[in-house]
Amino acid sequence: MTDYLQDSARPPLNPPPFSAWSAGPAIPEPPLAPRSSAAALASSLNELLAGIAARRIPHLDALRIRLQEVHSGTELAELQHCLKIVQDSAGGLDVLSARAGGEAADEFLRQVAALAENTHQLTLVGGSFLQRNQPVSSVARAVCMGLKLESAALAERILQGMRWLHEMEQDVIERRGSATAEVSQLALRELARRGGVLQERLHRLDRLCGHARSALELAEQFYALRSALCDTLQRRVRPRSRRLHEVLRPLLGVDAKPPQAAELMAVVDARHDLEVVLTEAGADMGRLRAYDRELTVHLFEMGRALQPHPVV
């Protein structure tokens, strides 16, 4: 059968429900060619849906599964946790107590030790995140391209199916006015029933297509923001974290003397520089986690919409 693959915008799919058919026919535009019978249209539409089930659906399901495999939120949670811990411990560092002596100075040293450990952990976790980003982003780009092609192909087939469904409806409406024999009435009712089932199948496919397109859009936004976050970690967070770690280290030596004013000012400056970029990275991470949750929902809904449905 003919396969319609022209690129075109898909109008809203709002055909009249089969249950609302009446004897009063709508006035369609004059056809350019004789319209096929409702039975032939139902057969063509069923064949179209069978082709979608055999080819498009497995492709979409494979892409969904692959995107779920590369799209893991666990590393995001770990990185977000490290960013927050460093920001909290840096903000809680009481520099003025460093030269007070006694318990205040001891508490300052404990804060320094915790901050040094946290910045070191952030370096490790951030480095692992950066190392994983390039291969993950490459796979995600390939999956997104496949998802774009498959969802576009599915949308064109849905559009063609809705055209045939509308023509099938018009044919049944016209024949109802002249069908007097009981057998003809039964045949028309059966065609109406088949039309209702075919309509539901098309609507389910349209919902699947909507979730696939939403997942595609979210995935593209997610990985663009993820790459931007990686750039922030690489060029801004990591060097400032390393700098703060370096200025803290002399204060933790076994033979360390009470910190001098210049050393404390270096800590204050390094802490401030790190806090600024951590705030920015934290905001990006918050948006990234929001995209992550939305994408997970649409991938789940895609999985539900991909479940088998009855064949006419």
Side-chain angles (χ1 to χ4, degrees):
M1 62 185 280
T2 305
D3 192 8
Y4 294 80
L5 293 175
Q6 300 93 330
D7 291 332
S8 61
R10 183 158 58 95
L13 302 179
N14 294 312
F18 275 76
S19 59
W21 286 1
S22 65
I27 304 177
E29 295 182 3
L32 299 179
R35 189 168 57 230
S36 299
S37 68
L41 289 165
S43 178
S44 296
L45 183 49
N46 202 50
E47 185 180 343
L48 176 71
L49 291 170
I52 291 173
R55 290 182 290 276
R56 302 270 81 86
I57 296 300
H59 291 169
L60 276 172
D61 201 22
L63 289 167
R64 176 187 64 85
I65 292 170
R66 191 70 183 103
L67 190 56
Q68 284 179 327
E69 289 173 349
V70 300
H71 183 75
S72 172
T74 55
E75 62 175 8
L76 294 179
E78 183 181 17
L79 179 58
Q80 186 177 38
H81 177 72
C82 285
L83 289 170
K84 185 177 186 309
I85 289 297
V86 171
Q87 191 168 25
D88 290 346
S89 57
L93 189 63
D94 185 5
V95 178
L96 294 179
S97 67
R99 306 185 70 183
E103 292 183 2
D106 292 340
E107 176 59 24
F108 171 74
L109 292 179
R110 283 192 292 271
Q111 293 172 354
V112 168
L115 181 55
E117 175 60 29
N118 291 334
T119 54
H120 177 64
Q121 184 65 21
L122 176 60
T123 299
L124 296 178
V125 173
S128 175
F129 185 82
L130 290 169
Q131 187 176 20
R132 177 173 158 77
N133 178 68
Q134 187 57 47
V136 166
S137 294
S138 298
V139 173
R141 281 195 298 271
V143 173
C144 285
M145 178 57 69
L147 199 56
K148 182 178 294 185
L149 294 173
E150 287 298 327
S151 60
L154 179 60
E156 289 298 327
R157 285 158 175 80
I158 292 171
L159 181 59
Q160 179 57 56
M162 297 306 291
R163 291 191 190 112
W164 283 338
L165 191 67
H166 184 68
E167 290 180 18
M168 182 181 170
E169 176 187 6
Q170 296 307 306
D171 186 60
V172 171
I173 289 173
E174 291 176 5
R175 293 189 182 196
R176 274 184 172 167
S178 58
T180 56
E182 179 63 23
V183 65
S184 299
Q185 292 288 345
L186 286 174
L188 290 174
R189 284 196 291 271
E190 174 59 20
L191 283 171
R193 185 198 66 79
R194 292 183 67 190
V197 176
L198 291 167
Q199 184 182 59
E200 176 57 27
R201 290 175 66 185
L202 281 170
H203 283 176
R204 289 186 62 174
L205 287 173
D206 191 51
R207 288 193 292 271
L208 167 62
C209 192
H211 288 304
R213 288 182 162 181
S214 295
L216 170 63
E217 181 181 351
L218 287 166
E220 289 177 335
Q221 293 173 330
F222 177 89
Y223 285 102
L225 183 56
R226 179 188 168 112
S227 295
L229 177 62
C230 284
D231 187 69
T232 298
L233 291 173
Q234 176 74 25
R235 298 178 182 274
R236 305 185 68 196
V237 173
R238 188 156 72 172
R240 286 165 176 79
S241 177
R242 186 182 297 116
R243 172 58 182 159
L244 179 57
H245 190 75
E246 289 172 355
V247 299
L248 290 174
R249 187 161 42 192
L251 306 181
L252 296 173
V254 176
D255 300 324
K257 299 178 181 178
Q260 300 300 308
E263 293 176 318
L264 292 178
M265 284 304 301
V267 171
V268 170
D269 290 341
R271 180 184 67 175
H272 174 72
D273 289 344
L274 179 59
E275 284 182 315
V276 170
V277 295
L278 285 178
T279 299
E280 296 175 6
D284 286 343
M285 179 61 75
R287 290 193 294 272
L288 200 60
R289 295 298 300 277
Y291 283 138
D292 174 58
R293 288 189 292 270
E294 287 189 63
L295 180 54
T296 299
V297 169
H298 282 289
L299 289 174
F300 174 77
E301 292 298 335
M302 272 187 71
R304 290 183 58 186
L306 283 162
Q307 295 301 313
H309 44 269
V311 177
V312 179

